[in-house]
Amino acid sequence: MSTPLRVLVCDDQALIRTGFATIIDAQPDLEVVGECGDGRAAVDLARRLSPDIVVMDVRMPVLDGIEATRLLAGAGVENPIKVLVVTTFNLDEYVYEALRAGASGFLLKDAPPAQLLHGIRTVASGAALLAPEVTRQLVGRYASRIRPARDTPDETALTPRELEVLRLIADGRSNSEIAATLVISQETVKTYVSRILTKLDLRDRVQAVVYAYRRGLVT
C-alpha cells in the first residue's frame, strides 16, 4: 500500500477543523499530520511537518489564510507546499487575492465530504481544482482584478480545439466532463490541458481559468 497523503488542517473554528480532520483521517489514503487555528501556526507547522497539502481557511487570526498561502506557495517560495483554500460566499472578496497568493484549489465550506476528499486528492496530485460555483460566481466576478506575475502569450497560440478545451476548463468542467462533451478520451484531454498550460506559460488550471476570464474567452 502506498504511503498516505499527509494533510495539515487549518481553520480557526474548532468544530470545522475537527470535522475536516475526522473526515480525512477516515480515509486509508489520507492522514492528518497536524491541526491549527491561525495562519502563523499554519506556516510554522507546514514548514516543520512538510505535508503534501494544506487545507487552509481564509479568515484566521494572527495571520490570515491568504498571507499564509503566499508564504507557503507564493512566487519565489523555494519549496512550495500545495494549498487547498476553503471559503464561504460571504468571503468571496478574498478569493482573487488567494489566487495570486498561489492557492491550487478552492472549495466551499459547505461542500459535501466527498468533494472535500476529491479536492484534497486532486490538488495533492499536482492538478488544480475549482468548485464550479467558485469558478462562475467568484473567479468570474474578480478576474479583471487579478494580475498575473508576468504577461502571458496571446491565445492565438492555441489551436481551435485547445481553445475549446480552455473554455470548458474555465466553465469549471473536470477532465471527464470535457472528454464527454468533446467525445474524446480523458488521456487526450490531459494532453490538451498540458499543451495549453505550456503554450500560455500558466502554472495550473486555476491560472488557466483566470486567463480565460481576463481575455474575455468566457462570459
Side-chain angles (χ1 to χ4, degrees):
M1 184 176 177
S2 60
T3 304
L5 293 171
R6 304 171 75 251
V7 184
L8 175 63
V9 178
C10 308
D11 195 293
D12 67 333
Q13 297 182 56
L15 189 59
I16 291 178
R17 192 168 66 241
T18 300
F20 282 176
T22 300
I23 291 167
I24 294 165
D25 261 338
Q27 304 301 304
D29 61 329
L30 303 175
E31 175 189 11
V32 174
V33 295
E35 300 177 35
C36 60
D38 69 75
R40 172 49 60 189
V43 173
D44 293 342
L45 274 177
R47 288 174 174 171
R48 179 161 58 86
L49 299 174
S50 297
D52 296 299
I53 181 171
V54 178
V55 176
M56 185 83 74
D57 186 19
V58 172
R59 183 180 291 176
M60 290 190 291
V62 185
L63 190 71
D64 66 39
I66 294 168
E67 186 58 31
T69 297
R70 184 175 291 111
L71 292 173
L72 294 176
V77 175
E78 188 173 346
N79 296 301
I81 296 174
K82 297 179 179 68
V83 177
L84 173 64
V85 170
V86 290
T87 185
T88 55
F89 281 123
N90 64 346
L91 295 181
D92 63 3
E93 65 267 27
Y94 299 114
V95 171
Y96 84 101
E97 286 288 0
L99 277 172
R100 296 174 62 188
S104 291
F106 291 89
L107 281 178
L108 304 179
K109 277 193 177 182
D110 60 359
Q115 282 190 24
L116 171 66
L117 298 172
H118 172 68
I120 290 171
R121 294 179 179 118
T122 298
V123 170
S125 73
L129 176 138
L130 287 172
E133 304 96 316
V134 176
T135 301
R136 276 298 185 190
Q137 299 188 40
L138 305 184
V139 178
R141 188 181 308 169
Y142 291 96
S144 63
R145 296 167 62 183
I146 300 170
R147 296 291 180 266
R150 57 187 182 277
D151 290 336
T152 54
D154 190 86
E155 65 271 10
T156 54
L158 303 181
T159 66
R161 179 47 66 96
E162 289 166 350
L163 195 57
E164 195 173 9
V165 171
L166 176 58
R167 288 192 173 102
L168 290 171
I169 292 172
D171 196 40
R173 308 289 186 90
S174 66
N175 282 358
S176 60
E177 290 170 334
I178 294 173
T181 299
L182 301 180
V183 196
I184 56 178
S185 70
Q186 289 193 49
E187 286 303 316
T188 300
V189 173
K190 290 180 182 178
T191 298
Y192 279 128
V193 172
S194 178
R195 288 177 183 170
I196 290 166
L197 298 181
T198 299
K199 286 183 176 183
L200 299 181
D201 194 23
L202 303 173
R203 184 189 64 206
D204 53 33
R205 292 172 79 106
V206 173
Q207 289 194 349
V209 170
V210 174
Y211 178 97
Y213 275 102
R214 291 197 65 211
R215 293 282 184 171
L217 302 177
V218 288
T219 56

